[in-house]
């Protein structure tokens, strides 16, 4: 019986041993270990004295923003002590790389260079990118984005001459009051922390950068910052093993190269009370033996109070080595540390063989990162090579993917039916207009208010009074710190105001702070819409605004719990892409360098050669605005720079932007027929030579109509003065039509224009001949069919719904003159500079309201209408025009007659004619749009889902300035767009 028990016990032990061995085999061993006995490592080991070998285990702090004395101090440590590496802190990339090159040149053995770059180089270096903190990354559902981040961060770090990133943080942050980890953690869910940590680690290590998971065995459940004191964690072993250590075990199995040990007092793991950095039980007993970690074990900084309190410099470093660490970070007293470790060997506290094993590890890392064949990098162009368009785009992708919607009552997000909304925004904790508010105003008119964090009750009352005029409030809750701390510095009146707004039906909040601080705002969870961005940056503000209006969507999930208000994993999906998205060219498969370089160059050339004083250019691809810029000045002799919200005279682009969409809508409703003639809608034309000419021919400019009639010339006497019975200097009931400040037209003159059109001769041959005559009549036709005022009709059915608030007639009625770009100095008719009124003489004689000219807009608002066309009639989740209608109207109607025109829309010439063509060479035959006499170009290409707007005032000071045409600026820029599209 005893023999049976013995055999059974033996069998069980053998089985367990085999199982443990199988589990051990499943672990991915760090790649660098393959070099521990390489020829290069052997050769270095043979050259190193015992003290020099100890020095390989030491990494000192270096800075690239300090004086030459600091550099000499580091060089002395390299020359005299033969240290193994440096960890860089604050500075800039150029200086850091230059210093690292110098340090490498001085070192007997290549130096291992490290940095704390948890969220990229921006954590330490000026002029570099800060990616989202890990709390925000924890909200992302697509882990491949975190892997991509790892690859990119590795590329940037290596470009600065370094080889090791002390990241990722894989502490499970389950204490909202944690002062040191908090937003640096992926969250409170151990599986999510593990997945994100592995993705980040793999990205970096696949790009040949060593990583170090931190802070073992878990710094997430502390309320003490180990930089200033030693935190104590009192959880039992079972809890620590199943929760805090879980991510470390997962990353070890996945092949993490390094693990950083924290400064913690954990009685359940080591009852002696020593910091975990100095604990052999934790480092050797658990990390090495139990978890089987064979990679590089690094201390947290050895200058932190959590480990230095009560311990002498040098002695504490020796104790860290005895505990099982391989690499000492931030050793304060290098000579003494080397001396103390030397004594430890002499005293038999550690063997030379054990030390040599660790030295070989570090040398193996150096070979794995390529230091066995070190070549100095040049700092030339380093900023450009770090801050690439791809790197910047990745930042936007990560922020967008992290956006988390916690409340969306009645699907308030994204906002729809803009024509029914009067919107105000309040930036809480801001003293001036925020990036959030600027981005909100890209979509429609939003009245902006700001309320400081410490605002008084009276200041709050003033804002509340103003809000009574609005039916939707968008609140931005901002942070006052560089880091998203778990703090709330708002005054009680401000907090009460936020709670009051959150209780109302139509309030949306965007929260730019640490999610934990949500628990310090009563009632915020009651808001109709609540967007969480995790931190406060220009990018988070911009994308949060775009989310609210549907430029982007959201599918982030909260990575931590917030009291009883929200739980880890909360989050709602919100659909985006219903309106324009404002982004970078790479988001639409375009090359930033080609696009920006080409467009800027051509526009600057046009301005330099005085083809136009300035202008606006907007480019969108796939519904994404990838270029939106203002160039130059209002006038050649001016100091007023063009702004992106300045308003331009659209000239003949009015033809496709006013009556044409109205006619298409009426056509969809069966109220307007292309085969009908003018007389069917304006009986006045029944007996004219234009009766029975179908609108299809008229709008395709094949109706034999005269190109234009210079009506204004008939209002002048031979000496050039105005006829007294046609004009007066002051307005009256008989002279109500304003032509200029001191020129008012007789009320019946519009009838003379109609009569002139009616009686005008027809061309002999029915062929393509551009004519603007019918466009004077179209507003009246729309009114006749719809029964509504023309301006009211197009405003209510198009512009207001689109949020195109600057698009419209007679801009001086709504905007300051300073926002309107001037056009020509009219020496012949109005005899003064034209500023704020339509340039076209015929349109101004129609009171500024015509379909041939008269519309004003900025590029952004015109883009909304053009994007609706490009979407084949849909925008903002609403259909304006039927798809089949737009397809028909944007198709060439009479190509057999050598006519390239659509119905109202211009089209590319049937054959490309080089520089004399109306489009770029690569514009597709499906493309359509229109040009304007004042220097406007509005074009869309369905084949490439491409939108292009060029707004200028090339007629200043005179229409005789044709340099814009001679330079082919507009179509040359259009070609750049196609060149920038990457296959």
């Amino acid at each position: 019986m005893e023999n049976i028990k013995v055999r059974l016990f033996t069998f069980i032990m053998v089985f367990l041993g085999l199982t443990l061995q199988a589990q051990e085999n499943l672990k991915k061993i760090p790649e660098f270990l393959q070099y521990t006995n390489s020829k290069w490592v052997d050769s270095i080991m043979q050259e190193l004295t015992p003290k020099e070998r100890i020095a390989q285990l030491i990494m000192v702090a270096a800075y690239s923003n300090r004086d030459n004395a600091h550099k000499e101090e580091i060089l002395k440590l390299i020359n005299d002590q033969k240290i193994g590496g440096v960890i860089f802190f604050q500075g800039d990339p150029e200086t850091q790389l230059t210093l690292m090159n110098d340090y490498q040149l001085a070192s007997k053995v290549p130096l291992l260079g490290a940095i704390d770059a948890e969220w990229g180089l921006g954590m330490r270096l000026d002029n570099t990118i800060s990616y989202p903190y890990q709390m925000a990354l924890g909200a992302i559902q697509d882990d491949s984005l975190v892997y991509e981040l790892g690859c990119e961060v590795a590329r940037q770090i290596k470009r600065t001459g370094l080889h090791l990133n002390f990241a990722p943080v894989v502490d499970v942050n389950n204490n909202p009051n944690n002062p040191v980890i908090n937003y640096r953690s992926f969250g409170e869910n151990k599986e999510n922390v593990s997945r994100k940590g592995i993705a980040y680690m793999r990205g970096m290590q696949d790009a040949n950068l060593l990583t170090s998971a931190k802070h073992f065995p878990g710094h997430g459940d502390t309320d003490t910052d180990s930089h200033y004191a030693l935190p104590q964690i009192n959880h039992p072993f079972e809890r620590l093993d199943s929760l805090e250590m879980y991510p470390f075990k997962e990353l070890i199995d996945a092949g993490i190269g390094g693990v950083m040990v924290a400064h913690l007092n954990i009685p359940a793991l080591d009852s002696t009370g020593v910091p975990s950095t100095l604990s052999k039980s934790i480092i050797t007993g658990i990390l090495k033996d139990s978890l089987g970690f064979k990679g590089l074990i690094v201390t947290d900084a050895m200058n932190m109070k959590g480990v230095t309190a009560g311990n002498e410099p040098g002695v504490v470093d020796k104790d860290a080595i005895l505990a099982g660490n391989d690499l000492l970070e931030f050793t304060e007293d290098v000579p003494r540390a080397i001396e103390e470790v030397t004594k430890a060997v002499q005293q038999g506290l550690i063997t030379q063989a054990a030390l040599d094993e660790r030295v070989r590890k570090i040398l193996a890392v150096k070979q794995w990162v390529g230091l066995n064949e070190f070549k100095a990098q040049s700092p030339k162009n380093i900023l450009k090579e770090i801050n690439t368009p791809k790197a910047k785009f990745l930042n936007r992708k990560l922020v967008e993917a992290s956006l988390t919607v916690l409340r969306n009552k009645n699907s308030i997000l994204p906002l729809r039916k803009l024509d029914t909304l009067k919107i105000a925004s309040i930036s809480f904790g801001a003293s001036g207009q925020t990036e959030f508010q600027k981005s909100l105003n890209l979509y429609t008119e939003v009245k902006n208010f700001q309320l400081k964090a410490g605002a008084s009750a009276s200041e709050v009352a003033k804002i509340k009074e103003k809000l009574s005029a609005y039916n939707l409030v968008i609140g931005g809750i901002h942070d006052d710190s560089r880091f998203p701390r778990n703090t709330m510095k708002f005054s009680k009146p401000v907090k009460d105001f936020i709670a009051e707004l959150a209780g109302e039906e139509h309030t949306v909040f965007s929260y730019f702070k640490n999610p934990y601080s949500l628990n310090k705002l009563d009632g915020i969870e009651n808001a109709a819409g609540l967007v969480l961005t995790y931190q406060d940056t220009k990018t988070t503000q911009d994308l949060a605004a775009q989310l609210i209006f549907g430029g982007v969507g959201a599918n982030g999930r909260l990575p931590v719990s917030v009291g009883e208000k929200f739980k880890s994993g909360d989050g709602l999906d919100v659909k985006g892409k219903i309106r324009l998205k404002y982004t970078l060219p790479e988001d639409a498969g375009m090359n930033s360098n080609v696009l920006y370089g080409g467009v800027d160059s051509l526009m600057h050339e046009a301005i330099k050669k005085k083809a136009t004083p300035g202008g606006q250019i907007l480019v969108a691809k796939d519904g994404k605005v990838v270029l939106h810029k203002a160039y130059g000045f209002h006038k050649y002799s001016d100091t007023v720079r063009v702004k992106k919200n300045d308003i331009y005279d659209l000239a003949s682009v009015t033809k496709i932007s006013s009556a044409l969409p109205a006619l298409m809508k009426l056509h969809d409703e069966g109220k307007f027929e292309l085969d009908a003639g003018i007389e069917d809608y304006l009986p006045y034309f029944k007996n004219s030579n234009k009766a029975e000419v179908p609108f299809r021919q008229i709008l395709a400019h094949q109706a034999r109509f005269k190109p234009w009639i210079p009506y204004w010339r008939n209002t002048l006497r031979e000496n050039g003065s105005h006829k007294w019975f046609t004009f007066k200097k002051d307005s009256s009931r008989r002279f109500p039509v304003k032509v200029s400040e001191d020129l008012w037209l007789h009320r019946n003159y519009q009838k003379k224009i109609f009569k002139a059109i009616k009686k005008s001769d027809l061309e002999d041959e029915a062929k393509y001949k551009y004519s603007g005559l019918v466009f004077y009549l179209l507003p009246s036709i729309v009114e006749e069919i719809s029964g509504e005022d023309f301006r009211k009709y197009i405003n209510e059915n198009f512009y207001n719904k689109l949020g195109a608030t600057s698009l419209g007639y007679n801009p001086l009625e709504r905007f300051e003159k300073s926002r309107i770009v001037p056009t020509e100095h009219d020496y012949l008719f109005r005899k003064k500079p034209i500023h704020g009124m339509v340039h076209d003489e015929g349109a101004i004689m129609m009171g500024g309201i015509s379909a041939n000219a008269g519309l004003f807009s900025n590029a952004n608002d015109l883009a909304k209408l053009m994007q609706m066309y490009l979407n084949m009639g849909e925008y903002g989740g609403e259909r304006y025009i039927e798809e089949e209608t737009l397809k028909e109207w944007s198709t060439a109607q009479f190509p057999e007659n050598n006519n390239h025109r659509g119905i109202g829309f211009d089209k590319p010439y049937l054959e490309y004619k080089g520089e004399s063509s109306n489009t770029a060479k690569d514009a597709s035959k499906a493309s359509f749009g229109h040009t304007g006499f004042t220097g406007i170009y509005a074009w869309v290409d369905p084949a490439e889902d491409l939108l292009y707007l060029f707004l200028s005032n090339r007629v200043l000071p005179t229409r005789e300035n044709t340099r814009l045409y001679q330079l082919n600026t507009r179509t040359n820029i259009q070609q750049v767009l196609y060149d920038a599209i990457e296959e």
Side-chain angles (χ1 to χ4, degrees):
M1 186 68 177
E2 189 66 29
N3 288 338
I4 294 174
K5 289 182 178 179
V6 170
R7 285 198 296 269
L8 180 60
F9 177 76
T10 302
F11 172 78
I12 291 172
M13 293 306 294
V14 170
F15 176 77
L16 288 174
L18 290 171
T19 302
L20 289 171
Q21 182 64 45
Q23 291 175 344
E24 182 68 24
N25 290 339
L26 289 174
K27 295 182 189 296
K28 187 176 180 183
I29 305 301
E31 289 183 4
F32 72 84
L33 291 173
Q34 64 185 297
Y35 297 111
T36 52
N37 295 299
S38 70
K39 289 182 180 180
W40 184 78
V41 170
D42 286 345
S43 68
I44 299 297
M45 288 295 291
Q46 289 171 11
E47 295 176 5
L48 296 176
T49 67
K51 285 192 175 182
E52 288 175 347
R53 293 182 184 187
I54 295 169
Q56 284 296 303
L57 310 181
I58 294 173
M59 179 172 279
V60 300
Y63 298 81
S64 55
N65 64 348
R66 294 190 178 179
D67 58 15
N68 195 59
H70 172 71
K71 177 181 178 181
E72 293 301 320
E73 180 185 344
I74 301 298
L75 287 172
K76 183 173 176 58
L77 289 171
I78 293 170
N79 290 318
D80 296 352
Q81 306 300 324
K82 306 297 189 293
I83 57 173
V86 292
I87 172 172
F88 273 95
F89 288 89
Q90 288 79 17
D92 66 85
E94 302 102 320
T95 309
Q96 177 176 292
L97 179 58
T98 301
L99 286 172
M100 195 60 183
N101 286 338
D102 291 343
Y103 295 156
Q104 293 287 19
L105 187 64
S107 184
K108 177 179 178 180
V109 178
L111 295 164
L112 187 65
I115 193 168
D116 268 316
E118 296 166 19
W119 51 87
L121 286 176
M123 180 175 177
R124 296 297 184 197
L125 301 184
D126 299 335
N127 307 315
T128 58
I129 301 171
S130 287
Y131 289 101
Y133 300 124
Q134 287 189 191
M135 182 75 78
L137 300 180
I140 295 174
Q141 298 304 293
D142 182 1
D143 291 344
S144 69
L145 284 173
V146 182
Y147 174 85
E148 187 179 345
L149 172 63
C151 295
E152 179 57 33
V153 167
R155 184 192 70 81
Q156 294 180 27
I157 291 175
K158 288 166 64 181
R159 182 64 181 91
T160 65
L162 307 182
H163 324 96
L164 168 60
N165 189 9
F166 289 135
V169 174
V170 291
D171 301 309
V172 179
N173 199 87
N174 37 34
N175 186 337
N177 297 316
N178 193 321
V180 63
I181 304 303
N182 206 295
Y183 61 87
R184 295 166 61 196
S185 166
F186 290 117
E188 71 177 44
N189 181 288
K190 64 181 183 180
E191 286 88 2
N192 188 40
V193 169
S194 300
R195 288 193 306 270
K196 297 295 190 298
I198 289 171
Y200 198 13
M201 173 271 289
R202 281 182 173 157
M204 288 187 278
Q205 292 191 175
D206 284 356
N208 205 229
L209 183 85
L210 195 69
T211 62
S212 179
K214 60 187 185 184
H215 307 80
F216 185 83
H219 210 315
D221 195 6
T222 68
D223 54 15
T224 301
D225 187 341
S226 52
H227 289 85
Y228 307 108
L230 180 64
Q232 182 166 318
I233 297 179
N234 294 313
H235 296 302
F237 175 81
E238 292 75 19
R239 150 71 189 259
L240 295 166
D241 181 59
S242 63
L243 182 59
E244 271 76 12
M245 286 192 278
Y246 179 87
F248 292 96
K249 291 189 281 187
E250 293 294 302
L251 267 75
I252 289 169
D253 289 349
I256 186 87
V259 169
M260 177 182 284
V261 182
H263 306 312
L264 300 168
N265 176 11
I266 313 175
L269 303 184
D270 188 332
S271 59
T272 65
V274 300
S276 45
T277 336
L278 310 180
S279 170
K280 190 169 185 177
S281 299
I282 292 173
I283 298 172
T284 300
I286 297 176
L287 183 55
K288 285 186 175 181
D289 297 342
S290 296
L291 301 186
F293 181 59
K294 301 182 184 303
L296 194 69
I297 300 176
V298 186
T299 69
D300 206 343
M302 295 301 289
N303 69 330
M304 293 166 63
K305 300 298 183 186
V307 72
T308 61
N311 295 304
E312 294 181 40
V315 176
V316 73
D317 300 279
K318 176 260 296 181
D319 291 341
I321 292 294
L322 295 181
N325 292 289
D326 300 315
L327 183 61
L328 303 172
E329 181 206 344
F330 214 138
T331 293
E332 292 188 288
D333 189 337
V334 175
R336 185 167 183 193
I338 294 172
E339 193 60 39
E340 291 293 336
V341 175
T342 300
K343 283 195 279 184
V345 175
Q346 294 168 349
Q347 295 167 358
L349 299 176
I350 186 170
T351 66
Q352 186 64 48
L355 276 177
D356 287 351
E357 182 182 350
R358 297 180 199 184
V359 177
R360 283 183 175 273
K361 264 194 205 180
I362 289 169
L363 293 174
V365 169
K366 292 182 178 183
Q367 183 170 354
W368 182 73
V369 298
L371 281 170
N372 58 314
E373 298 177 343
F374 170 74
K375 292 180 181 178
Q377 298 183 66
S378 169
K380 185 179 180 181
N381 296 323
I382 188 171
L383 283 181
K384 184 178 180 181
E385 291 174 19
I386 287 174
N387 301 310
T388 64
K390 181 181 177 183
K392 294 175 183 176
F393 173 44
L394 174 60
N395 188 42
R396 292 187 70 86
K397 283 198 294 185
L398 292 165
V399 171
E400 184 179 336
S402 72
L403 295 175
T404 305
V405 176
L406 295 174
R407 287 288 183 265
N408 193 18
K409 294 178 184 177
N410 300 317
S411 298
I412 193 172
L413 300 176
L415 298 177
R416 299 173 187 268
K417 298 188 180 301
L418 299 185
D419 56 318
T420 68
L421 300 177
K422 192 169 184 184
I423 306 173
S425 76
I426 309 173
S427 281
F428 294 92
S431 56
Q433 187 182 44
T434 60
E435 195 71 22
F436 180 56
Q437 292 177 320
K438 291 177 186 177
S439 294
L440 290 173
N441 276 278
L442 290 172
Y443 290 95
T444 191
E445 184 177 4
V446 178
K447 178 65 175 177
N448 299 322
F449 301 97
Q450 293 84 37
L451 198 59
K452 291 183 288 188
S456 65
S458 62
E459 290 172 314
V460 169
K462 289 178 183 178
I463 297 288
K464 287 172 67 174
E465 183 180 353
K466 293 175 181 177
L467 291 183
S468 61
Y470 301 90
N471 61 7
L472 179 77
V473 176
I474 300 173
I477 299 179
H478 294 274
D479 210 339
D480 63 345
S481 171
R482 175 188 170 193
F483 302 111
R485 309 288 187 191
N486 184 15
T487 57
M488 182 61 64
K489 297 182 181 178
F490 291 148
S491 65
K492 187 177 186 301
V494 171
K495 289 195 283 187
D496 290 345
F497 183 32
I498 291 172
E500 182 183 337
L501 284 174
E504 296 181 1
E505 187 177 355
H506 296 107
T507 303
V508 174
F509 284 105
S510 189
Y511 200 76
F512 301 107
K513 294 171 66 66
N514 187 309
Y516 286 125
S517 63
L518 280 164
N519 213 30
K520 299 177 180 179
L521 277 181
D522 292 338
I524 189 71
E525 67 277 13
N526 298 320
L530 179 57
V531 178
L532 177 62
T533 71
Y534 302 94
Q535 58 196 89
D536 198 351
T537 67
K538 286 186 176 181
T539 304
T540 59
Q541 290 186 38
D542 176 29
L543 288 169
Q546 295 196 44
L547 166 61
I548 289 169
F549 281 98
V552 302
N555 69 347
R557 294 294 182 268
L558 187 63
V560 295
S561 296
V562 181
E564 297 301 315
K565 293 181 178 180
F566 304 105
K567 299 302 178 187
S568 174
D570 282 356
L572 303 166
D573 289 350
V574 172
K575 180 184 177 183
K577 299 181 181 179
I578 68 167
R579 292 191 179 92
L580 287 168
K581 176 182 181 180
Y582 298 82
T583 183
L584 299 176
E586 281 66 24
D587 197 3
M590 299 179 80
N591 185 300
S592 287
N593 294 327
V594 174
L595 180 65
Y596 294 158
V599 173
D600 288 352
S601 175
L602 288 166
M603 194 59 182
H604 292 150
E605 177 194 37
I607 294 171
K608 183 179 180 180
K609 294 185 176 179
K610 296 195 172 181
T612 179
Q616 294 173 1
I617 298 178
L618 186 145
V619 178
K621 188 177 187 307
D622 303 332
K624 302 168 183 177
V625 176
V626 295
L627 187 151
H628 182 201
K629 286 189 176 185
Y631 298 85
F633 299 87
H634 281 207
K635 304 176 185 177
Y636 291 112
S637 59
D638 211 343
T639 58
V640 179
R641 289 191 173 275
V642 177
K643 301 180 184 66
K644 288 192 286 188
N645 68 341
D646 285 342
I647 298 166
Y648 278 83
D649 182 338
L650 299 184
S652 283
V653 170
T654 302
K655 291 178 171 67
I656 64 168
S657 305
S658 62
L660 197 67
L663 292 178
M664 284 190 276
K665 177 177 173 57
L666 294 169
H667 174 75
D668 290 338
E669 296 169 353
K671 299 175 182 177
F672 177 76
E673 297 297 333
L674 287 170
D675 293 329
I678 300 173
E679 74 282 0
D680 291 307
Y681 304 110
L682 291 179
Y684 174 71
F685 282 82
K686 271 190 177 178
N687 298 317
S688 73
N689 57 2
K690 295 164 187 65
E692 300 183 2
V693 179
F695 268 102
R696 188 182 300 274
Q697 291 183 16
I698 295 171
L699 294 175
H701 300 277
Q702 189 165 296
R704 298 168 59 203
F705 287 9
K706 294 290 183 184
W708 68 298
I709 299 173
Y711 314 103
W712 62 275
R713 288 180 182 168
N714 296 325
T715 69
L716 301 179
R717 297 187 179 96
E718 290 185 7
N719 63 5
S721 64
H722 298 102
K723 294 179 179 178
W724 67 269
F725 53 81
T726 304
F727 287 107
K728 297 295 182 188
K729 290 185 177 182
D730 294 311
S731 64
S732 66
R733 188 173 60 84
R734 292 180 62 219
F735 293 86
V737 181
K738 186 177 182 180
V739 173
S740 70
E741 287 77 6
D742 55 1
L743 201 61
W744 296 81
L745 181 66
H746 194 280
R747 64 188 178 188
N748 291 330
Y749 199 83
Q750 181 176 318
K751 293 179 181 179
K752 291 190 175 185
I753 292 176
F754 278 35
K755 184 177 181 180
I757 294 172
K758 180 179 179 180
K759 290 192 170 184
S760 63
D761 294 332
L762 295 176
E763 299 287 341
D764 294 334
E765 187 179 354
K767 62 180 182 180
Y768 170 61
K769 189 96 172 183
Y770 180 77
S771 171
L773 296 189
V774 75
F775 291 91
Y776 288 95
L777 311 177
L778 293 183
S780 296
I781 289 174
V782 170
E783 290 179 346
E784 186 71 24
I785 298 172
S786 67
E788 294 184 39
D789 173 77
F790 176 64
R791 289 177 74 181
K792 181 181 178 184
Y793 184 86
I794 57 174
N795 283 333
E796 291 183 351
N797 287 285
F798 295 97
Y799 307 157
N800 295 346
K801 290 183 177 183
L802 289 166
T805 54
S806 72
L807 183 56
Y809 291 100
N810 292 331
L812 286 173
E813 296 175 0
R814 298 176 295 136
F815 303 107
E816 293 293 327
K817 193 173 185 178
S818 60
R819 190 176 159 188
I820 305 167
V821 180
T823 52
E824 185 178 17
H825 191 130
D826 183 356
Y827 291 98
L828 299 177
F829 176 41
R830 283 167 278 187
K831 306 183 186 304
K832 61 179 55 187
I834 307 304
H835 189 181
M837 304 184 77
V838 61
H839 169 270
D840 182 86
E841 296 90 349
I844 195 61
M845 295 174 78
M846 297 287 289
I849 303 169
S850 175
N852 75 304
L855 276 185
F856 286 71
S857 181
N858 59 39
N860 186 59
D861 283 338
L862 180 59
K864 297 165 188 175
L865 179 70
M866 297 301 293
Q867 186 65 42
M868 183 269 285
Y869 289 156
L870 189 51
N871 294 345
M872 290 294 121
E874 194 171 11
Y875 188 79
E878 185 171 351
R879 179 157 290 283
Y880 292 79
I881 299 166
E882 292 301 321
E883 182 174 355
E884 289 306 312
T885 299
L886 255 169
K887 285 182 176 178
E888 181 184 7
W889 289 48
S890 62
T891 300
Q893 297 298 300
F894 303 100
E896 71 283 354
N897 203 27
N898 200 31
N899 184 343
H900 64 281
R901 289 271 178 168
I903 301 172
F905 292 108
D906 197 4
K907 297 278 296 174
Y909 293 160
L910 298 176
E911 292 184 7
Y912 182 68
K913 300 178 181 179
E915 291 187 352
S916 62
S917 285
N918 64 340
T919 64
K921 172 175 62 69
D922 288 346
S924 80
K925 294 301 181 185
S927 68
F928 59 96
H930 216 284
T931 57
F933 187 74
T934 52
I936 313 296
Y937 195 93
W939 212 269
V940 296
D941 190 343
E944 291 288 354
D945 203 357
L946 187 65
L947 182 160
Y948 166 46
L949 298 177
F950 182 104
L951 273 56
S952 78
N953 56 333
R954 68 99 196 161
V955 294
L956 187 90
T958 170
R959 69 186 66 193
E960 302 305 320
N961 178 11
T962 59
R963 294 187 188 96
L964 196 68
Y965 306 145
Q966 295 164 11
L967 292 170
N968 289 305
T969 301
R970 296 179 295 181
T971 52
N972 286 343
I973 287 177
Q974 187 182 37
Q975 183 58 46
V976 170
L977 315 187
Y978 292 96
D979 295 341
I981 297 172
E982 297 182 324
E983 298 299 330

